[in-house]
């Protein structure tokens, strides 16, 4: 891919970044329910005002541009870009209200599965599709185990997202899958420690894992 094409993809990402907030806003409010007293044990899913300021265009441009440069020779690049687009909306929603809506996670998974299936058939590489399915199975199973551990704060939205991201990671091979499974938890753990030291959060504060899963997968794809 030429430098001009990579810049064009980055600019496309920047334009998409402008659309991320209104797209995410459709998913940041839960359906209306009968009013009931709030419980400390049941945190609200309403958006946390001021919790995060969206820097959409620069972030989206970096995500798209990085993929274009790193995976320029991979016929699956358009699939990675589509999954990244959905992932940016998911990250925005999770940071705003600690939710990973099933429709968005399902869209990411279906885009990855359909896109990689098409690429595998057109390029005559069915083995890579098997690798993608294996990656989804391994990633999903690993996060199910983490979710059922005593005291785990891992939600099943995170499990489903990990399985969806396992498709492109498995497509790239074992090393990318390993990095994509390990790196998100290192990133999340480092962030939690830093916020605790800075006294920005407490030990019982719930923090979203979705952005770390997406960032870890992005780095893994760049390195894969």
């Amino acid at each position: 891919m030429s430098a001009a094409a990579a810049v064009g993809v980055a600019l496309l990402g920047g334009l998409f970044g402008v659309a991320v907030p209104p797209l995410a806003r459709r998913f940041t409010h839960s359906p209306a329910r009968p009013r009931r007293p709030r419980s400390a044990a049941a945190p609200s899913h309403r958006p946390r005002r001021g919790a995060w300021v969206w820097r959409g265009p620069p972030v989206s441009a970096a995500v798209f541009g990085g993929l274009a440069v790193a995976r320029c020779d991979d016929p699956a690049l358009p699939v990675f870009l589509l999954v990244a687009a959905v992932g940016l909306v998911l990250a925005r929603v999770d940071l705003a209200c600690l939710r990973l809506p099933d429709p968005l996670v399902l869209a990411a998974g279906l885009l990855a599965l359909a896109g990689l299936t098409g690429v595998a058939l057109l390029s005559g590489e069915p083995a890579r599709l098997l690798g993608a399915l294996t990656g989804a199975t391994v990633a999903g199973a690993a996060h199910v185990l983490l979710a059922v551990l005593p005291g785990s704060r891992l939600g099943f939205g995170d499990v489903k997202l990990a399985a969806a991201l396992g498709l492109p990671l498995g497509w790239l091979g074992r090393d990318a899958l390993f990095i994509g499974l390990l790196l998100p938890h290192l990133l999340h753990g480092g962030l939690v420690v830093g916020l605790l030291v800075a006294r920005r959060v407490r030990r019982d504060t719930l923090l979203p894992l979705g952005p770390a899963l997406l960032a870890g997968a992005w780095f893994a794809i760049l390195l894969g």
Side-chain angles (χ1 to χ4, degrees), residues 3-223:
V7 170
V9 173
L11 290 175
L12 178 64
L15 290 175
F16 180 75
V18 176
V20 168
L23 289 173
R25 201 170 297 125
R26 297 172 177 269
F27 298 93
T28 53
H29 292 278
S30 300
R33 296 179 179 177
R35 292 187 177 181
R36 62 179 182 180
R38 286 188 183 177
S39 167
S44 171
H45 289 307
R46 295 177 63 189
R48 294 169 293 162
R49 184 173 297 176
W52 184 51
V53 178
W54 174 247
R55 300 289 191 268
V59 172
S60 300
V63 169
F64 276 50
L67 290 172
V69 172
R71 310 308 311 176
C72 59
D73 296 326
D74 195 323
L77 174 60
V79 181
F80 298 150
L81 293 174
L82 287 173
V83 174
V86 179
L88 287 165
V89 181
L90 276 166
R92 166 70 175 178
V93 174
D94 203 15
L95 284 165
C97 59
L98 297 175
R99 292 177 62 230
L100 290 169
D102 284 343
L104 286 176
V105 177
L106 180 61
L110 289 178
L111 285 171
L113 180 59
L116 293 176
T117 299
V119 173
L121 293 176
L122 291 174
S123 61
E125 295 182 295
R128 296 192 73 176
L129 180 59
L130 179 60
L133 295 173
T134 301
T137 302
V138 170
H143 284 80
V144 166
L145 292 176
L146 291 175
V148 299
L149 288 175
S152 174
R153 295 186 178 184
L154 193 72
F156 275 89
D158 301 314
V159 173
K160 288 177 278 191
L161 177 58
L165 294 175
L167 288 164
L169 293 173
W171 173 269
L172 295 175
R174 181 177 58 189
D175 291 345
L177 179 61
F178 177 75
I179 295 172
L181 288 175
L182 179 62
L183 188 57
H185 298 282
L186 296 178
L187 293 173
H188 185 72
L191 175 63
V192 171
V193 170
L195 291 174
L196 285 172
V197 170
R199 297 185 178 181
R200 298 290 300 275
V201 299
R202 301 182 306 182
R203 290 182 180 273
D204 60 348
T205 301
L206 294 177
L207 295 174
L209 180 62
L213 290 172
L214 292 158
W218 181 71
F219 279 117
I221 291 173
L222 296 189
L223 300 172

